[in-house]
Amino acid sequence: MKEEHIDIQTQDGAMNTFITRPDEGGPFPAVLFYMDAPGKREELHDMARRIATAGYYVMLPNLYYRDVREFHLGMADATRERMFELMDHLSNAMVCEDTQAMFDHMAQEPDARGGPVGITGYCMSGPFVFAAAAAFPDRIKAAASVHGVKLYTDAADSPHLNADKIQGEMYFACAELDQLAPPSMIDPLDAHLKETGINYRIEWYPAAQHGFVFPQRDGMFSKESAERHWSRLFAMFERNVR
């Protein structure tokens, strides 16, 4: 495998990004990996590596770069209060700008193949990938929101409002015991998406909690549910990005 940590220039600064891909056989279809609120960290690097070993060029950016070069829970002085401040500074529009910068970088990379792109986002990034799939319908052909939050809200920038623009496949992995994304949010999302006619799937993960995919999330990680998520993710990328 080949790995690197680089800076990608955006409208708002240098976005430090982890990139991994196989060491031979390229160019590879690209997958964007958007982090959860606890921040870009080695646990996520390992998840990106797992995707890359299946033959993808994977990019994992620090979405908090506008405020901090590095942040993840577990660091000294990395409090949950600070995490929420950083998370609240982000918007769907900002991450869509960052997505364009990543496309621009890919275009210059010999290991990254042009054409359809996959994207996956966890927790706070669920709405980001949802919004990006609508903002870049010609590029993003497979998008997954995994225990995503704020997917259907009253906000003016709620990502469901542009869902009808999505041309690729959209997948929502929802944890049954997730208080941050309860049925009261997911059910109206489902009703709305049915009206759009887009290609989507909402799947409930029985007995799973918010954060069930992360191996280091004590008391929440579910190996069975995490492996199901990987199976769904790889199958969707195979259908749409290869």
Side-chain angles (χ1 to χ4, degrees):
M1 302 295 291
K2 291 196 291 188
E3 298 181 358
E4 58 185 335
H5 295 267
I6 68 164
D7 286 345
I8 295 176
Q9 192 62 41
T10 76
Q11 296 181 25
D12 297 322
M15 180 170 63
N16 49 311
T17 302
F18 174 71
I19 298 178
T20 180
R21 67 279 200 191
D23 58 4
E24 59 182 15
F28 307 99
V31 171
L32 308 183
F33 184 127
Y34 287 169
M35 67 192 205
D36 61 333
K40 177 179 169 294
R41 57 197 185 277
E42 189 63 15
E43 182 180 25
L44 300 193
H45 295 167
D46 281 342
M47 293 172 68
R49 292 180 181 113
R50 180 164 179 175
I51 298 173
T53 59
Y56 296 96
Y57 179 96
V58 184
M59 305 179 72
L60 168 60
N62 166 31
L63 296 178
Y64 294 151
Y65 73 92
R66 292 174 178 86
D67 294 298
V68 291
R69 177 78 181 179
E70 184 177 1
F71 175 92
H72 61 82
L73 291 183
M75 291 174 54
D77 301 324
T79 65
R80 291 185 62 83
E81 290 76 17
R82 180 57 171 157
M83 178 187 77
F84 286 119
E85 287 178 359
L86 293 170
M87 180 173 62
D88 289 342
H89 287 174
L90 289 174
S91 69
N92 295 335
M94 287 179 180
V95 178
C96 284
E97 290 175 1
D98 297 339
T99 302
Q100 180 61 63
M102 296 173 79
F103 288 152
D104 293 342
H105 176 80
M106 264 184 249
Q108 308 302 317
E109 284 294 302
D111 282 341
R113 195 178 76 196
V117 170
I119 185 169
T120 184
Y122 298 81
C123 307
M124 79 163 185
S125 287
F128 299 156
V129 300
F130 193 8
F136 303 97
D138 294 336
R139 290 298 307 275
I140 297 176
K141 297 302 181 181
S145 162
V146 184
H147 37 70
V149 301
K150 300 181 180 179
L151 302 172
Y152 186 100
T153 74
D154 294 331
D157 68 341
S158 179
H160 80 277
L161 297 173
N162 290 318
D164 61 317
K165 298 178 182 177
I166 295 174
Q167 296 178 14
E169 183 176 348
M170 189 79 218
Y171 176 69
F172 300 90
C174 302
E176 181 184 23
L177 305 180
D178 190 348
Q179 297 182 352
L180 298 176
S184 60
M185 180 184 76
I186 302 301
D187 290 347
L189 172 66
D190 190 15
H192 176 78
L193 293 180
K194 285 178 180 176
E195 295 180 356
T196 67
I198 67 169
N199 180 13
Y200 80 98
R201 179 183 182 185
I202 293 174
E203 183 173 19
W204 288 99
Y205 284 60
Q209 301 184 54
H210 187 80
F212 67 79
V213 301
F214 301 116
Q216 296 178 24
R217 196 71 62 87
D218 290 341
M220 296 181 180
F221 174 66
S222 166
K223 184 174 179 59
E224 179 181 359
S225 294
E227 289 304 315
R228 180 193 297 183
H229 132 272
W230 287 118
S231 174
R232 300 291 190 261
L233 201 63
F234 285 126
M236 183 173 65
F237 290 159
E238 184 69 26
R239 285 192 298 270
N240 299 285
V241 179
R242 285 293 186 188

